[in-house]
Amino acid sequence: TTKEKSSKYISITTDNSDTVDKVISCIDDIKNYIQDFPQVKLIFLEVPVYSIKAYNQHQKHSDPKTFKQQDETLANQVWQVNEKIRATNQILNTRSPNFSLFLQARKQHRTRSRVEAWEYFNYNLYRDGIHPGQNLARVWLREIAERIKIDCWSKSEVKS
């Protein structure tokens, strides 16, 4: 996403995979660079999904609904980057918390003959569509701390 200096609103940079490809290339470059340092434990953290629409609504945009399609495109791009992060972390024998998981919600609607359910992201857990609220930040920090305990201080690596 980008934010123009002359505006307080954000928008998606590109609908195609150029930005995703650039991020994936950077992940590969960092992984390859760090391989020369065996004492370094590298873990790529997944990118949480966020909302262009909610952010622009928080900034008092006159019609934030126009950003709904951009949210869908962004969520897809974040998913592609996170797929690469998961694959890279698997090669590195590590894992990242799935931050977007804490934003997922499910809604059900019952009709006479069936129950329809759909999943969505609860962007209300963010202060402004991008920055996590206090509770979400605490949960994410706890998840990171748990991963650090597992990946960096496992019993086999502790020296007595």
Side-chain angles (χ1 to χ4, degrees):
T1 54
T2 57
K3 182 178 178 191
E4 298 295 324
K5 290 182 181 180
S6 61
S7 173
K8 59 184 176 178
Y9 308 118
I10 62 172
S11 62
I12 199 153
T13 305
T14 178
D15 289 340
N16 60 32
S17 64
D18 290 346
T19 305
V20 171
D21 294 341
K22 193 181 293 185
V23 171
I24 288 173
S25 176
C26 288
I27 290 170
D28 287 334
D29 291 346
I30 293 168
K31 182 186 74 151
N32 293 334
Y33 177 76
I34 294 298
Q35 286 178 340
D36 294 336
F37 305 95
Q39 70 277 20
V40 174
K41 181 78 168 186
L42 179 64
I43 302 169
F44 288 98
L45 295 178
E46 290 188 24
V47 179
V49 68
Y50 58 96
S51 175
I52 297 168
K53 177 182 168 246
Y55 180 82
N56 288 336
Q57 185 172 355
H58 182 79
Q59 298 297 323
K60 310 285 191 241
H61 190 278
S62 60
D63 190 13
K65 292 177 184 172
T66 59
F67 298 98
K68 187 170 175 39
Q69 180 59 45
Q70 289 188 25
D71 273 357
E72 292 173 16
T73 302
L74 178 63
N76 183 46
Q77 291 175 343
V78 168
W79 181 83
Q80 290 175 41
V81 169
N82 285 340
E83 282 293 304
K84 176 61 176 180
I85 289 172
R86 284 185 205 106
T88 302
N89 282 341
Q90 188 171 12
I91 291 167
L92 298 170
N93 200 25
T94 61
R95 265 189 54 232
S96 167
N98 180 350
F99 297 114
S100 295
L101 184 67
F102 299 100
L103 298 167
Q104 286 182 327
R106 185 178 176 101
K107 195 168 200 168
Q108 292 184 339
H109 175 71
R110 180 166 290 220
T111 63
R112 288 184 178 201
S113 60
R114 63 188 167 148
V115 175
E116 295 176 354
W118 60 95
E119 290 184 353
Y120 63 97
F121 292 110
N122 182 5
Y123 296 118
N124 293 328
L125 297 173
Y126 285 118
R127 289 187 328 229
D128 58 4
I130 296 177
H131 303 98
Q134 188 174 22
N135 290 335
L136 183 59
R138 285 181 177 163
V139 169
W140 285 355
L141 183 59
R142 186 189 68 223
E143 290 295 312
I144 292 169
E146 287 298 316
R147 288 308 322 165
I148 290 171
K149 283 196 286 188
I150 292 167
D151 290 336
C152 300
W153 281 286
S154 64
K155 291 181 181 180
S156 63
E157 294 178 16
V158 174
K159 297 178 182 177
S160 300

PDB file of all heavy atoms in Angstrom, residues 52-67:
ATOM      1  N   ILE A  52      -7.439  -1.462   4.092  1.00  0.00           N
ATOM      2  CA  ILE A  52      -7.348  -0.136   3.481  1.00  0.00           C
ATOM      3  C   ILE A  52      -8.651   0.613   3.732  1.00  0.00           C
ATOM      4  O   ILE A  52      -8.653   1.795   4.090  1.00  0.00           O
ATOM      5  CB  ILE A  52      -7.072  -0.265   1.966  1.00  0.00           C
ATOM      6  CG1 ILE A  52      -5.708  -0.934   1.739  1.00  0.00           C
ATOM      7  CG2 ILE A  52      -7.160   1.085   1.276  1.00  0.00           C
ATOM      8  CD1 ILE A  52      -5.471  -1.376   0.313  1.00  0.00           C
ATOM      9  N   LYS A  53      -9.769  -0.079   3.587  1.00  0.00           N
ATOM     10  CA  LYS A  53     -11.085   0.523   3.776  1.00  0.00           C
ATOM     11  C   LYS A  53     -11.247   1.039   5.208  1.00  0.00           C
ATOM     12  O   LYS A  53     -11.667   2.185   5.430  1.00  0.00           O
ATOM     13  CB  LYS A  53     -12.174  -0.498   3.461  1.00  0.00           C
ATOM     14  CG  LYS A  53     -13.570  -0.008   3.695  1.00  0.00           C
ATOM     15  CD  LYS A  53     -14.579  -1.121   3.398  1.00  0.00           C
ATOM     16  CE  LYS A  53     -15.936  -0.739   3.895  1.00  0.00           C
ATOM     17  NZ  LYS A  53     -16.406  -1.565   4.977  1.00  0.00           N
ATOM     18  N   ALA A  54     -10.912   0.207   6.197  1.00  0.00           N
ATOM     19  CA  ALA A  54     -11.072   0.612   7.602  1.00  0.00           C
ATOM     20  C   ALA A  54     -10.150   1.780   7.948  1.00  0.00           C
ATOM     21  O   ALA A  54     -10.546   2.689   8.677  1.00  0.00           O
ATOM     22  CB  ALA A  54     -10.803  -0.574   8.529  1.00  0.00           C
ATOM     23  N   TYR A  55      -8.915   1.755   7.420  1.00  0.00           N
ATOM     24  CA  TYR A  55      -7.997   2.854   7.689  1.00  0.00           C
ATOM     25  C   TYR A  55      -8.530   4.163   7.110  1.00  0.00           C
ATOM     26  O   TYR A  55      -8.552   5.194   7.784  1.00  0.00           O
ATOM     27  CB  TYR A  55      -6.606   2.562   7.122  1.00  0.00           C
ATOM     28  CG  TYR A  55      -5.631   3.690   7.380  1.00  0.00           C
ATOM     29  CD1 TYR A  55      -4.986   3.802   8.605  1.00  0.00           C
ATOM     30  CD2 TYR A  55      -5.382   4.659   6.413  1.00  0.00           C
ATOM     31  CE1 TYR A  55      -4.116   4.853   8.854  1.00  0.00           C
ATOM     32  CE2 TYR A  55      -4.512   5.709   6.655  1.00  0.00           C
ATOM     33  CZ  TYR A  55      -3.876   5.801   7.877  1.00  0.00           C
ATOM     34  OH  TYR A  55      -3.025   6.843   8.124  1.00  0.00           O
ATOM     35  N   ASN A  56      -8.967   4.108   5.859  1.00  0.00           N
ATOM     36  CA  ASN A  56      -9.470   5.323   5.217  1.00  0.00           C
ATOM     37  C   ASN A  56     -10.770   5.806   5.871  1.00  0.00           C
ATOM     38  O   ASN A  56     -11.026   7.003   5.950  1.00  0.00           O
ATOM     39  CB  ASN A  56      -9.643   5.112   3.722  1.00  0.00           C
ATOM     40  CG  ASN A  56      -8.304   5.035   3.014  1.00  0.00           C
ATOM     41  OD1 ASN A  56      -7.303   5.543   3.502  1.00  0.00           O
ATOM     42  ND2 ASN A  56      -8.278   4.380   1.870  1.00  0.00           N
ATOM     43  N   GLN A  57     -11.580   4.865   6.352  1.00  0.00           N
ATOM     44  CA  GLN A  57     -12.781   5.228   7.098  1.00  0.00           C
ATOM     45  C   GLN A  57     -12.390   5.937   8.398  1.00  0.00           C
ATOM     46  O   GLN A  57     -13.000   6.941   8.777  1.00  0.00           O
ATOM     47  CB  GLN A  57     -13.602   3.978   7.392  1.00  0.00           C
ATOM     48  CG  GLN A  57     -14.919   4.243   8.065  1.00  0.00           C
ATOM     49  CD  GLN A  57     -15.764   2.989   8.154  1.00  0.00           C
ATOM     50  OE1 GLN A  57     -15.421   1.936   7.634  1.00  0.00           O
ATOM     51  NE2 GLN A  57     -16.894   3.099   8.826  1.00  0.00           N
ATOM     52  N   HIS A  58     -11.363   5.420   9.073  1.00  0.00           N
ATOM     53  CA  HIS A  58     -10.857   6.046  10.302  1.00  0.00           C
ATOM     54  C   HIS A  58     -10.339   7.459  10.022  1.00  0.00           C
ATOM     55  O   HIS A  58     -10.442   8.341  10.868  1.00  0.00           O
ATOM     56  CB  HIS A  58      -9.748   5.174  10.901  1.00  0.00           C
ATOM     57  CG  HIS A  58      -9.189   5.699  12.176  1.00  0.00           C
ATOM     58  ND1 HIS A  58      -9.823   5.543  13.383  1.00  0.00           N
ATOM     59  CD2 HIS A  58      -8.055   6.391  12.435  1.00  0.00           C
ATOM     60  CE1 HIS A  58      -9.114   6.116  14.327  1.00  0.00           C
ATOM     61  NE2 HIS A  58      -8.032   6.633  13.781  1.00  0.00           N
ATOM     62  N   GLN A  59      -9.804   7.654   8.814  1.00  0.00           N
ATOM     63  CA  GLN A  59      -9.298   8.965   8.413  1.00  0.00           C
ATOM     64  C   GLN A  59     -10.400   9.865   7.849  1.00  0.00           C
ATOM     65  O   GLN A  59     -10.116  10.912   7.287  1.00  0.00           O
ATOM     66  CB  GLN A  59      -8.180   8.798   7.366  1.00  0.00           C
ATOM     67  CG  GLN A  59      -6.967   8.042   7.857  1.00  0.00           C
ATOM     68  CD  GLN A  59      -6.267   8.763   8.988  1.00  0.00           C
ATOM     69  OE1 GLN A  59      -6.184   9.980   9.010  1.00  0.00           O
ATOM     70  NE2 GLN A  59      -5.754   7.998   9.938  1.00  0.00           N
ATOM     71  N   LYS A  60     -11.652   9.428   7.957  1.00  0.00           N
ATOM     72  CA  LYS A  60     -12.834  10.212   7.546  1.00  0.00           C
ATOM     73  C   LYS A  60     -12.952  10.395   6.030  1.00  0.00           C
ATOM     74  O   LYS A  60     -13.365  11.455   5.553  1.00  0.00           O
ATOM     75  CB  LYS A  60     -12.850  11.596   8.222  1.00  0.00           C
ATOM     76  CG  LYS A  60     -12.656  11.572   9.720  1.00  0.00           C
ATOM     77  CD  LYS A  60     -13.893  11.100  10.419  1.00  0.00           C
ATOM     78  CE  LYS A  60     -13.785  11.342  11.921  1.00  0.00           C
ATOM     79  NZ  LYS A  60     -13.846  10.171  12.719  1.00  0.00           N
ATOM     80  N   HIS A  61     -12.617   9.340   5.274  1.00  0.00           N
ATOM     81  CA  HIS A  61     -12.824   9.387   3.824  1.00  0.00           C
ATOM     82  C   HIS A  61     -14.327   9.479   3.552  1.00  0.00           C
ATOM     83  O   HIS A  61     -15.130   8.859   4.254  1.00  0.00           O
ATOM     84  CB  HIS A  61     -12.236   8.127   3.172  1.00  0.00           C
ATOM     85  CG  HIS A  61     -12.192   8.193   1.687  1.00  0.00           C
ATOM     86  ND1 HIS A  61     -13.287   7.899   0.898  1.00  0.00           N
ATOM     87  CD2 HIS A  61     -11.190   8.520   0.834  1.00  0.00           C
ATOM     88  CE1 HIS A  61     -12.960   8.036  -0.376  1.00  0.00           C
ATOM     89  NE2 HIS A  61     -11.690   8.414  -0.439  1.00  0.00           N
ATOM     90  N   SER A  62     -14.706  10.223   2.531  1.00  0.00           N
ATOM     91  CA  SER A  62     -16.130  10.446   2.250  1.00  0.00           C
ATOM     92  C   SER A  62     -16.850   9.178   1.771  1.00  0.00           C
ATOM     93  O   SER A  62     -18.048   9.039   1.987  1.00  0.00           O
ATOM     94  CB  SER A  62     -16.296  11.556   1.212  1.00  0.00           C
ATOM     95  OG  SER A  62     -15.646  11.196   0.004  1.00  0.00           O
ATOM     96  N   ASP A  63     -16.133   8.250   1.133  1.00  0.00           N
ATOM     97  CA  ASP A  63     -16.760   7.013   0.656  1.00  0.00           C
ATOM     98  C   ASP A  63     -15.777   5.844   0.797  1.00  0.00           C
ATOM     99  O   ASP A  63     -15.236   5.358  -0.206  1.00  0.00           O
ATOM    100  CB  ASP A  63     -17.199   7.179  -0.807  1.00  0.00           C
ATOM    101  CG  ASP A  63     -18.059   6.029  -1.284  1.00  0.00           C
ATOM    102  OD1 ASP A  63     -18.527   5.231  -0.433  1.00  0.00           O
ATOM    103  OD2 ASP A  63     -18.251   5.903  -2.500  1.00  0.00           O
ATOM    104  N   PRO A  64     -15.551   5.367   2.014  1.00  0.00           N
ATOM    105  CA  PRO A  64     -14.564   4.298   2.219  1.00  0.00           C
ATOM    106  C   PRO A  64     -14.955   2.967   1.571  1.00  0.00           C
ATOM    107  O   PRO A  64     -14.097   2.120   1.338  1.00  0.00           O
ATOM    108  CB  PRO A  64     -14.473   4.170   3.740  1.00  0.00           C
ATOM    109  CG  PRO A  64     -15.737   4.748   4.260  1.00  0.00           C
ATOM    110  CD  PRO A  64     -16.157   5.789   3.274  1.00  0.00           C
ATOM    111  N   LYS A  65     -16.219   2.793   1.233  1.00  0.00           N
ATOM    112  CA  LYS A  65     -16.653   1.541   0.601  1.00  0.00           C
ATOM    113  C   LYS A  65     -15.970   1.316  -0.744  1.00  0.00           C
ATOM    114  O   LYS A  65     -15.898   0.194  -1.220  1.00  0.00           O
ATOM    115  CB  LYS A  65     -18.171   1.528   0.443  1.00  0.00           C
ATOM    116  CG  LYS A  65     -18.900   1.439   1.759  1.00  0.00           C
ATOM    117  CD  LYS A  65     -20.390   1.494   1.569  1.00  0.00           C
ATOM    118  CE  LYS A  65     -21.068   1.501   2.930  1.00  0.00           C
ATOM    119  NZ  LYS A  65     -22.489   1.748   2.839  1.00  0.00           N
ATOM    120  N   THR A  66     -15.471   2.380  -1.349  1.00  0.00           N
ATOM    121  CA  THR A  66     -14.797   2.243  -2.648  1.00  0.00           C
ATOM    122  C   THR A  66     -13.494   1.450  -2.521  1.00  0.00           C
ATOM    123  O   THR A  66     -12.941   1.037  -3.536  1.00  0.00           O
ATOM    124  CB  THR A  66     -14.483   3.624  -3.253  1.00  0.00           C
ATOM    125  OG1 THR A  66     -13.651   4.357  -2.348  1.00  0.00           O
ATOM    126  CG2 THR A  66     -15.746   4.408  -3.537  1.00  0.00           C
ATOM    127  N   PHE A  67     -13.031   1.207  -1.291  1.00  0.00           N
ATOM    128  CA  PHE A  67     -11.772   0.484  -1.080  1.00  0.00           C
ATOM    129  C   PHE A  67     -11.986  -0.997  -0.777  1.00  0.00           C
ATOM    130  O   PHE A  67     -11.035  -1.713  -0.499  1.00  0.00           O
ATOM    131  CB  PHE A  67     -10.977   1.142   0.055  1.00  0.00           C
ATOM    132  CG  PHE A  67     -10.590   2.561  -0.247  1.00  0.00           C
ATOM    133  CD1 PHE A  67     -11.337   3.619   0.239  1.00  0.00           C
ATOM    134  CD2 PHE A  67      -9.474   2.832  -1.035  1.00  0.00           C
ATOM    135  CE1 PHE A  67     -10.995   4.933  -0.051  1.00  0.00           C
ATOM    136  CE2 PHE A  67      -9.123   4.146  -1.329  1.00  0.00           C
ATOM    137  CZ  PHE A  67      -9.880   5.189  -0.839  1.00  0.00           C
TER     138      PHE A  67
END
